Amino acid sequence: FSASGKYIYVFDNYTEDKTGLYKLNIEDFSYKKVFSDKKIDVTHVELTEDGRTAYAIKIDDGYPAYLILNKSIPEGAAFKELLGAFPYSSVNITSKTDDGKQMLVAVHSDVNPGTIYIYDFEAKKLEFLYQYHSEFQAKEFAQMEPIKFQSSDGLEINGYFTSAKPSEKAKIAPTVVLVHGGPHGDRDLWQFSNQIQYLVKNGFSVLQINYRG
């Protein structure tokens, strides 16, 4: 529900096949789209501390991308600064104090298993808290590259490829195809994977396909 109690914000694919963010006016039952993408479902919405206002939307069309819905909201402005501080990364506010003055921020990427920070909202200060798999460095991990190609009937297929170094020059490393669950709902994302990094470290490239459905 919105702060005014007049609207309900919902995920929906009303009149289209991509899931977006909509709002329903519970007084006159009018329905309005807030945002949807032409190619991809909305992945996540960041809400204010009171849970009443959406200030940012995340979509994952290959790499993660964010849309700031309302920069005038202090939390929206702070989130924009956090995105600028961590380029080429996924940024997620995992929890907040009851007064909203401090929040836990999780940052990760294809080569970063996850870094946790404490963000002081009033001081605008970011403090390191914890690093997952701190025994490794990012340069030891292989990058996951978004790919796309046309299927036999001309529709676009998206996925990810993580390349291993071949054991010998002029040879191509063998490839493992990782198939996710489904047939609908689940998809692969650009993110860190223990399984993928293990396979690449042992000489196997990895192909992930976000199949249709």
Side-chain angles (χ1 to χ4, degrees):
F1 282 92
S2 65
S4 65
K6 184 178 179 180
Y7 299 102
I8 298 176
Y9 290 93
V10 298
F11 283 124
D12 198 359
N13 60 349
Y14 179 64
T15 70
E16 53 188 46
D17 66 349
K18 302 296 183 292
T19 299
L21 183 66
Y22 289 75
K23 65 178 182 179
L24 171 68
N25 186 318
I26 60 176
E27 294 179 353
D28 61 14
F29 297 104
S30 58
Y31 204 42
K32 183 179 180 181
K33 179 168 64 177
V34 178
F35 176 82
S36 68
D37 188 79
K38 293 180 179 179
K39 295 176 59 179
I40 199 95
D41 293 337
V42 170
T43 307
H44 180 70
V45 173
E46 292 286 351
L47 297 173
T48 52
E49 172 58 30
D50 60 7
R52 300 294 190 183
T53 305
Y55 61 80
I57 284 176
K58 181 188 179 191
I59 58 174
D60 287 275
D61 184 10
Y63 296 107
Y66 296 86
L67 174 69
I68 306 298
L69 296 175
N70 194 333
K71 300 176 185 177
S72 64
I73 297 175
E75 287 165 274
F79 190 70
K80 183 181 179 182
E81 291 183 5
L82 289 171
L83 293 176
F86 300 105
Y88 310 109
S89 299
S90 288
V91 179
N92 183 35
I93 296 173
T94 63
S95 60
K96 306 171 186 176
T97 55
D98 290 338
D99 58 11
K101 292 182 179 180
Q102 289 184 316
M103 55 185 68
L104 285 181
V105 180
V107 180
H108 65 88
S109 72
D110 56 341
V111 294
N112 177 9
T115 311
I116 308 298
Y117 298 88
I118 297 177
Y119 181 71
D120 189 305
F121 191 78
E122 293 182 337
K124 295 185 177 180
K125 181 181 178 182
L126 201 62
E127 181 182 350
F128 171 82
L129 183 63
Y130 184 77
Q131 173 68 51
Y132 289 92
H133 294 305
S134 58
E135 66 273 24
F136 297 103
Q137 295 183 355
K139 64 182 181 181
E140 298 180 65
F141 297 123
Q143 293 183 328
M144 177 188 290
E145 301 292 340
I147 60 169
K148 58 181 64 178
F149 58 91
Q150 286 203 335
S151 64
S152 58
D153 57 1
L155 294 182
E156 188 175 88
I157 301 293
N158 294 272
Y160 297 94
F161 185 72
T162 308
S163 179
K165 294 181 180 180
S167 58
E168 299 178 28
K169 288 184 178 181
K171 283 194 174 182
I172 299 174
T175 297
V176 172
V177 180
L178 289 186
V179 183
H180 59 66
H184 58 83
D186 292 341
R187 58 157 293 184
D188 287 312
L189 296 168
W190 184 82
Q191 60 188 3
F192 185 85
S193 167
N194 290 323
Q195 184 182 26
I196 291 173
Q197 296 299 334
Y198 178 81
L199 288 168
V200 170
K201 193 73 173 178
N202 284 276
F204 295 93
S205 295
V206 178
L207 176 64
Q208 300 166 275
I209 297 298
N210 279 321
Y211 50 75
R212 286 146 56 177

